[in-house]
Amino acid sequence: MSARVVLLGPPGAGKGTQAALIAERMSVAHVASGDLFRKHLSEGTELGALAKTYMDKGELVPDDVTIRMALERMAEPDARAGCVLDGFPRTMEQAKALDAALEEQGERIASAPLIEVEPEELVRRLAGRWICRSCQTPYHEAFSPPRTAGLCDACGGGLYQRDDDKPEVVRARLETYERQTAPLIAYYEAQGKLRRVNGQRSVEQVTADLEAAIGA
Ligand code: ADP
Ligand code: ADP
Ligand code: ZN
């Protein structure tokens, strides 16, 4: 049983979808850095305004503010026993800061599953993605539609399309992933924590593979 998991994968791979399911099964917190930034944005905080300038361009928010926000979230009571990290870390500096912070507490990342999906499929997934305004559950207009059009199955909230899921921003996000986040694959591989999972299957099949990979 592994309590702290880093879910790796490019934008659109299914991290948000899978992290929510796995965190619930493991009874640990789902910590999604993108959701945290969007919450700041909707609440009109200074951090939200800063993050938006990067998110709109498909670039990464600077490491210092991102690391502080993620570690603070991980220190909240519901995340102390464990968490599924979704979207963090995304740079080598973030990964090292995370390991250092956990080491100070006598903790560690148990495993880092990588959800692998081809670029053309990522573009299709992001173009059709709709997100719940209230609980952030992702849907897809063709691949995983809500039961009632425009409404969240889980909470009844309204669905919307993210500004950064527009094709030109998606291209930039995929480039950012290759340049800044893909190096984490070798980092976790060297620690013996990387687990490759084929993300181009049904949501249920991917969940089953992830659970097997992390020993949940
Ligand atoms: P995706 O669906 O592409 O995985 P996220 O919701 O995780 O998207 O992230 C959306 C945006 O928020 C990113 O493009 C980036 O600007 C910012 N962001 C999220 N997580 C991080 C992070 N760990 N470091 C820097 N920026 C981040
Ligand atoms: P990420 O957090 O990695 O950006 P999401 O979980 O938001 O990815 O998924 C991206 C899009 O792909 C969403 O529209 C989601 O409904 C859809 N999706 C997720 N998993 C699958 C799957 N296994 N097959 C087809 N579509 C999927
Ligand atoms: Zn919802």
Side-chain angles (χ1 to χ4, degrees):
M1 182 63 194
S2 41
R4 279 181 189 75
V5 171
V6 170
L7 203 47
L8 294 170
K15 298 183 300 299
T17 301
Q18 296 296 337
L21 295 167
I22 285 171
E24 190 173 343
R25 291 230 194 135
M26 293 169 66
S27 299
V28 299
H30 172 197
V31 173
S33 46
D35 289 352
L36 294 174
F37 285 130
R38 282 183 291 276
K39 185 158 179 276
H40 274 279
L41 188 53
S42 72
E43 289 171 353
T45 72
E46 214 171 290
L47 174 57
L50 173 79
K52 182 173 165 37
T53 62
Y54 296 93
M55 294 167 88
D56 283 349
K57 291 186 281 189
E59 293 171 6
L60 296 184
V61 181
D63 283 330
D64 55 348
V65 292
T66 302
I67 290 166
R68 199 174 320 130
M69 177 185 73
L71 293 181
E72 274 173 19
R73 174 66 188 90
M74 288 175 70
E76 285 173 25
D78 68 316
R80 288 216 194 112
C83 54
V84 177
L85 295 174
D86 158 14
F88 177 84
R90 249 181 165 99
T91 65
M92 286 297 290
E93 187 159 341
Q94 291 176 19
K96 288 177 186 163
L98 172 64
D99 278 350
L102 288 175
E103 197 180 328
E104 248 175 56
Q105 302 157 29
E107 305 286 351
R108 57 193 276 280
I109 294 299
S111 65
L114 168 66
I115 306 179
E116 296 184 296
V117 172
E118 285 171 5
E120 311 81 72
E121 172 69 9
L122 296 172
V123 172
R124 276 194 292 273
R125 288 188 183 184
L126 295 173
R129 172 159 73 176
W130 290 77
I131 312 254
C132 174
R133 247 181 231 293
S134 313
C135 75
Q136 325 301 325
T137 298
Y139 295 88
H140 190 282
E141 55 196 25
F143 308 146
S144 93
R147 285 192 289 269
T148 309
L151 295 182
C152 177
D153 292 349
C155 78
L159 306 185
Y160 76 103
Q161 287 192 289
R162 276 169 48 179
D163 279 346
D164 61 344
D165 279 344
K166 289 199 231 44
E168 58 281 15
V169 187
V170 165
R171 260 195 305 279
R173 284 162 60 204
L174 294 174
E175 282 169 23
T176 298
Y177 172 80
E178 285 305 328
R179 201 172 57 246
Q180 291 179 270
T181 308
L184 299 192
I185 296 170
Y187 178 77
Y188 286 108
E189 195 155 41
Q191 295 189 358
K193 294 177 184 168
L194 191 77
R195 310 276 182 274
R196 291 178 191 270
V197 168
N198 177 3
Q200 259 167 286
R201 296 154 14 104
S202 73
V203 169
E204 294 74 22
Q205 284 172 317
V206 176
T207 307
D209 284 359
L210 282 170
E211 285 181 332
I214 65 188

